[in-house]
Amino acid sequence: MFRFVLSFLGAIFSWVVTAAAFFILTVGGVLWIYSQDLPSHEQLAQYTPKTISRIYSGEGKMMDEFAEERRIFVPVDEIPDIVKQAFISAEDQNFYHHQGFDPMGIAAALRDAALGGRLRGASTIPQQVAKNFLLSGDRTAERKIKELILSTRLVQALPRDRILELYLNEIYLGQNSYGVAAAALTYFNKSLDDLALNEAAMLAAMPREPGRSHPVRDHDKVLFRRNEVLREMQENGYLQDAAYRSEIEQPMRTVQGGDYPNFRSTLPPRDYFTDEIRRQLSREFGEEEFFGGGLSIRATVDADLQVIAARALQRALEKYDRSRGIWTGTRRTIPAESLTAEADWRQALRAADVPRDIQGWHPAVVLSLGENDARIGIEGVPEDEDGHWIPAKDVQWARKRLPDGRLGRQARVASDLVEVGDVVLVRQMTSDSDGSFIRWTLRQVPEIQGGFMAMDVNTGRVLAMQGGFSYQSSVFNRATQAQRQPGSSFKPFVYAAALDNGYSPATIVVDEPITLNTPQGLWAPKNSSGKFYGPTPLRTGIEQSRNLMTIRIAQDIGMNTVAKYAEDFGAYDHLGNFLANSLGAQETTLMKMVAAYAMFANGGERVEPTLVDRVQDQRGRTIYRHDRRECRTCGQPAWPVGAGPVISTNRERVMDAITAYQITSMMEGVVRRGSGRGVNLPVPVAGKTGTTNDAKDVWFIGYTSNIVAGCYLGYDQPRTLGRGAFGGTLCVPVFQEFMEEAVREYGGTPFKVPPGGHFVNIDRFTGQRLGPNAKGDNVIAEYFRDGAQGKDFIDGGWDRVDPDTLPLYSRGDGGGQAVTTSTGQKKVIPKKADFGTLSSGGLY
């Protein structure tokens, strides 16, 4: 019997040993098989997670952020202990002791699940790192085996704190938040250092079901899990009993529950400036690096001037729109069933897709119509006893655009423009004297659009940019993306080319009809006035924007020369060699034109416009810097009194400095006597208007000694702006409003006169050289190159006139005139027969 028992026990032992050996060999074989094609864990030593790229103003204020996955990388030694302890307690309480996987943790999880107790994760933090970084998320036995193998390798290859750093910066915690720092902002609008214990515990409760753990919709479930994490922290010795009892009694306060402001709400609304930075840097660095590289971007924007630029452009666009007297509204409505209760219409109004980035404007909904007035409910404005109303007199400026495109009758009462349920935009009308409230008034986003941009003429730093009336209404940037005809604002390039090719500001050019053969037939261009003015100095040609003089100049020097100048200035990548292009017929962008004008202002040196001063990667290394000028004296311990740093520009010279000054002087005349007369600043200013055929586009670009700014207005689908629409009437007021503030902030000086020339008094009507003591409204001190004779009379084929007998002529209403030379002789200048006939009488 005893031998039988021993034999039986021996057999059992043999079977157990054999089974154990078989199991070990099987497990070993499986592990060996799956370990052969695993991804390398060594790459995690150099792993840099995708993080948010942020844009800051020059003062260091955050303006915007961009990311595909909202993540902020934080080194492990900067993560507070309570956050680490909360996640270790919730996910892997033996993290610092096991070898990659935790048999005791797995056994405890199985026991608790079997007994119906608390659920706890069976995967360790190294396993989760292996899964998140190196494997797919498939729920298969194969993936689990690979995860176990990799986790053991990870703990052998990396310090535990490095593994924890990877985990806490990578883990998905819901609401598009990856990593604990981003989640802290998302749920509490706090940095990690400011989190309370219960808030850290709530974050640690999120990884189990991040997509189904909304703190409002799933409040009770999230609260239960938070308290479970706090209990785990107590059991693991991270919390004292008193602290644990205090923390579980705390209510769950979150951004989603309205207890804290949304982090995004603390940022300015996204605008054209930051979106253009996104567009340019995505192109420069690639979208993957921009959206995931954790870039720190220092923008060139002047925040105060950006506000002024937006307001000035919006005022001009709205003023034109209201002058047309057509009501278009928002074309958004709210169903009648949502208007009965205040909570319902407020919720529906919040969901309405209307712009909310226009200062002082509020979305509203028409709740009811009276005999004359309309009652409205306004987003963000509490209801009062009397309600809010749009009175009849506020609508009588407009006619409603009907569904078939026709215009309705002139509005007399509110119901002529709006209906119950219409979503509208309103703002407060206030008294100019004391700012007291008068009434709510209807507003609308204009159909006309435009762009504005201002930059430093010496560095190319863009100080302000507005690409339309409202970014939320239309993200298309008219300052950088819209290709439009610049019209007469192109003419300075023609005149610059002429000055570098033998002309002077006093050169006489005949303003007379011309007919040209083109592939499309005969072309007979005209001046905007429809008149012709005879022999005229170059200066007057640009001051009065004479089309025929410009064409004759371009014909004389050659359109290939003009095109080269325009391309060298960066106004065009390629300008066609057609005479019509001398009048600005080929399309370009406002940004290119403004940058080109900066080269007139700075004396002819190339500048590249930039919206970004500097870009740093997530470890603080500068990977881009715009200003590469060399400071020669910045190393000195002190500068002489009144002296500043000596900076070497080391920039390419695009044009001769004397030519740049001559063009600037001539464009000062545009502002004083020409189409830019609406500009009135306390510092010298030069500029040029532009108005295209049928007034489809209107422009003004102007500059002081340090700032250049440009404005463009027009419809996105080009059509005429109507009679009275000119660059001087629509764009000059925008420039004036902006530059008033810019000059207060940045000042301005007389334009620098370059060496190598001398001043001569000239009669601006005739080009006649006058004595040094000549005075009067017609006397201009022109700057001539030393030793250069220059052309005196250009007409495309007329006889040359001796410089001492340059023509004087009486100004008329068009046509040619008899002229009197400076010696008192009467003279009729012959005319080439193929120039066409004069539009009015004359002696020739």
Coordinates of all heavy atoms in Angstrom, one line a residue, residues 481-511:
Q481 N -3.6 86.8 -50.1 CA -4.1 85.8 -51.1 C -4.8 86.3 -52.3 O -4.8 85.7 -53.3 CB -5.0 84.8 -50.4 CG -4.3 83.9 -49.3 CD -5.2 83.0 -48.6 OE1 -6.0 83.4 -47.7 NE2 -5.2 81.7 -48.9
A482 N -5.4 87.5 -52.1 CA -6.2 88.0 -53.2 C -5.3 88.6 -54.3 O -4.5 89.5 -54.0 CB -7.1 89.1 -52.7
Q483 N -5.5 88.1 -55.5 CA -4.7 88.7 -56.7 C -5.6 89.7 -57.3 O -6.7 89.4 -57.9 CB -4.4 87.5 -57.7 CG -3.5 86.5 -57.1 CD -2.0 86.9 -57.2 OE1 -1.7 87.8 -57.9 NE2 -1.2 86.2 -56.4
R484 N -5.2 91.0 -57.3 CA -6.0 92.1 -57.8 C -5.1 93.0 -58.6 O -3.9 93.1 -58.4 CB -6.7 92.9 -56.7 CG -7.5 92.0 -55.7 CD -8.6 91.2 -56.4 NE -9.6 92.0 -56.9 CZ -10.9 91.9 -56.6 NH1 -11.3 90.9 -55.7 NH2 -11.8 92.7 -57.1
Q485 N -5.8 93.8 -59.5 CA -5.1 94.8 -60.3 C -4.7 96.0 -59.4 O -5.6 96.5 -58.8 CB -5.9 95.2 -61.5 CG -6.2 94.2 -62.5 CD -7.1 94.7 -63.6 OE1 -7.8 95.7 -63.5 NE2 -7.0 94.0 -64.8
P486 N -3.5 96.4 -59.4 CA -3.1 97.5 -58.5 C -3.4 98.9 -59.1 O -3.4 99.9 -58.4 CB -1.6 97.4 -58.3 CG -1.2 96.7 -59.5 CD -2.3 95.8 -59.9
G487 N -3.8 98.9 -60.4 CA -4.1 100.2 -61.0 C -2.9 101.2 -60.9 O -1.8 100.8 -61.0
S488 N -3.3 102.4 -60.7 CA -2.2 103.5 -60.7 C -1.2 103.4 -59.6 O -0.2 104.1 -59.6 CB -2.9 104.9 -60.7 OG -3.7 105.1 -61.8
S489 N -1.5 102.6 -58.6 CA -0.5 102.4 -57.5 C 0.7 101.7 -58.1 O 1.8 101.6 -57.4 CB -1.1 101.6 -56.3 OG -1.5 100.3 -56.7
F490 N 0.6 101.1 -59.3 CA 1.8 100.5 -59.9 C 2.7 101.6 -60.6 O 3.9 101.3 -60.8 CB 1.4 99.5 -61.0 CG 2.5 98.9 -61.8 CD1 3.2 97.8 -61.3 CD2 2.9 99.4 -63.0 CE1 4.2 97.3 -62.0 CE2 3.9 98.9 -63.7 CZ 4.6 97.8 -63.2
K491 N 2.2 102.8 -60.9 CA 3.0 103.7 -61.7 C 4.3 104.1 -61.1 O 5.3 104.4 -61.9 CB 2.1 105.0 -61.9 CG 0.9 104.7 -62.8 CD 0.0 106.0 -63.0 CE -1.1 105.7 -63.9 NZ -2.1 106.8 -63.9
P492 N 4.5 104.2 -59.8 CA 5.8 104.5 -59.3 C 7.0 103.6 -59.8 O 8.1 104.1 -59.9 CB 5.7 104.4 -57.7 CG 4.3 104.7 -57.5 CD 3.5 104.1 -58.7
F493 N 6.7 102.4 -60.1 CA 7.7 101.5 -60.7 C 8.1 102.0 -62.1 O 9.3 101.9 -62.5 CB 7.2 100.1 -60.7 CG 6.8 99.5 -59.4 CD1 5.5 99.2 -59.1 CD2 7.7 99.5 -58.3 CE1 5.1 98.7 -57.9 CE2 7.3 99.0 -57.1 CZ 6.0 98.7 -56.8
V494 N 7.1 102.4 -62.9 CA 7.4 103.0 -64.2 C 8.3 104.2 -64.0 O 9.3 104.4 -64.7 CB 6.1 103.3 -64.9 CG1 6.4 103.9 -66.3 CG2 5.2 102.1 -65.0
Y495 N 7.9 105.1 -63.1 CA 8.7 106.3 -62.9 C 10.1 106.1 -62.4 O 11.0 106.8 -62.7 CB 7.9 107.3 -62.1 CG 6.7 108.0 -62.8 CD1 5.5 107.3 -63.0 CD2 6.8 109.3 -63.2 CE1 4.5 107.9 -63.7 CE2 5.8 109.9 -63.9 CZ 4.6 109.2 -64.1 OH 3.6 109.8 -64.8
A496 N 10.2 105.1 -61.5 CA 11.5 104.7 -61.0 C 12.4 104.2 -62.1 O 13.6 104.6 -62.2 CB 11.4 103.7 -59.9
A497 N 11.9 103.4 -63.0 CA 12.7 102.9 -64.1 C 13.1 104.0 -65.0 O 14.2 104.1 -65.5 CB 11.8 101.9 -64.9
A498 N 12.2 105.0 -65.2 CA 12.5 106.2 -66.0 C 13.6 107.0 -65.4 O 14.6 107.4 -66.1 CB 11.3 107.0 -66.2
L499 N 13.6 107.2 -64.1 CA 14.6 108.1 -63.4 C 16.0 107.4 -63.5 O 17.0 108.1 -63.5 CB 14.2 108.3 -62.0 CG 13.0 109.2 -61.7 CD1 12.5 109.2 -60.3 CD2 13.3 110.6 -62.2
D500 N 16.0 106.1 -63.5 CA 17.3 105.4 -63.6 C 17.7 105.3 -65.1 O 18.8 104.7 -65.4 CB 17.1 104.0 -63.0 CG 17.4 103.9 -61.5 OD1 18.0 104.9 -61.0 OD2 17.1 102.9 -60.9
N501 N 16.9 105.8 -66.0 CA 17.2 105.7 -67.4 C 17.2 107.0 -68.1 O 16.6 107.2 -69.2 CB 16.3 104.7 -68.1 CG 16.6 103.2 -67.8 OD1 17.5 102.6 -68.5 ND2 16.0 102.7 -66.8
G502 N 17.7 108.0 -67.4 CA 18.0 109.3 -68.1 C 16.9 110.4 -67.8 O 17.1 111.5 -68.2
Y503 N 15.8 110.1 -67.1 CA 14.8 111.1 -66.8 C 15.2 111.8 -65.5 O 16.0 111.3 -64.7 CB 13.4 110.4 -66.6 CG 12.7 110.0 -67.9 CD1 13.3 109.0 -68.7 CD2 11.5 110.6 -68.3 CE1 12.6 108.6 -69.8 CE2 10.9 110.2 -69.4 CZ 11.4 109.2 -70.2 OH 10.7 108.8 -71.3
S504 N 14.5 112.9 -65.3 CA 14.6 113.6 -64.1 C 13.2 114.0 -63.7 O 12.3 113.9 -64.5 CB 15.5 114.9 -64.2 OG 14.7 115.9 -64.8
P505 N 12.9 114.4 -62.4 CA 11.6 114.8 -62.1 C 11.0 116.0 -62.9 O 9.8 116.2 -62.9 CB 11.7 115.2 -60.6 CG 12.9 114.4 -60.1 CD 13.8 114.4 -61.3
A506 N 11.9 116.7 -63.5 CA 11.5 117.9 -64.3 C 11.4 117.6 -65.8 O 11.1 118.5 -66.6 CB 12.4 119.1 -64.1
T507 N 11.7 116.4 -66.2 CA 11.6 116.0 -67.6 C 10.2 116.2 -68.1 O 9.2 115.9 -67.5 CB 12.0 114.5 -67.9 OG1 13.3 114.4 -67.5 CG2 11.8 114.1 -69.3
I508 N 10.0 116.9 -69.3 CA 8.7 117.1 -69.9 C 8.3 115.9 -70.7 O 9.0 115.4 -71.6 CB 8.8 118.4 -70.8 CG1 9.1 119.6 -69.9 CG2 7.4 118.6 -71.5 CD1 8.1 120.0 -68.9
V509 N 7.1 115.5 -70.5 CA 6.4 114.4 -71.2 C 5.1 115.0 -71.7 O 4.3 115.6 -71.0 CB 6.2 113.2 -70.4 CG1 5.5 112.1 -71.2 CG2 7.5 112.7 -69.8
V510 N 4.8 114.8 -73.0 CA 3.6 115.3 -73.6 C 2.4 114.4 -73.2 O 2.4 113.2 -73.4 CB 3.7 115.4 -75.1 CG1 2.3 115.8 -75.7 CG2 4.7 116.4 -75.5
D511 N 1.4 115.1 -72.6 CA 0.2 114.4 -72.2 C -0.8 114.6 -73.4 O -1.5 115.6 -73.5 CB -0.4 115.0 -70.9 CG -1.6 114.3 -70.4 OD1 -2.2 113.4 -71.2 OD2 -2.0 114.5 -69.3

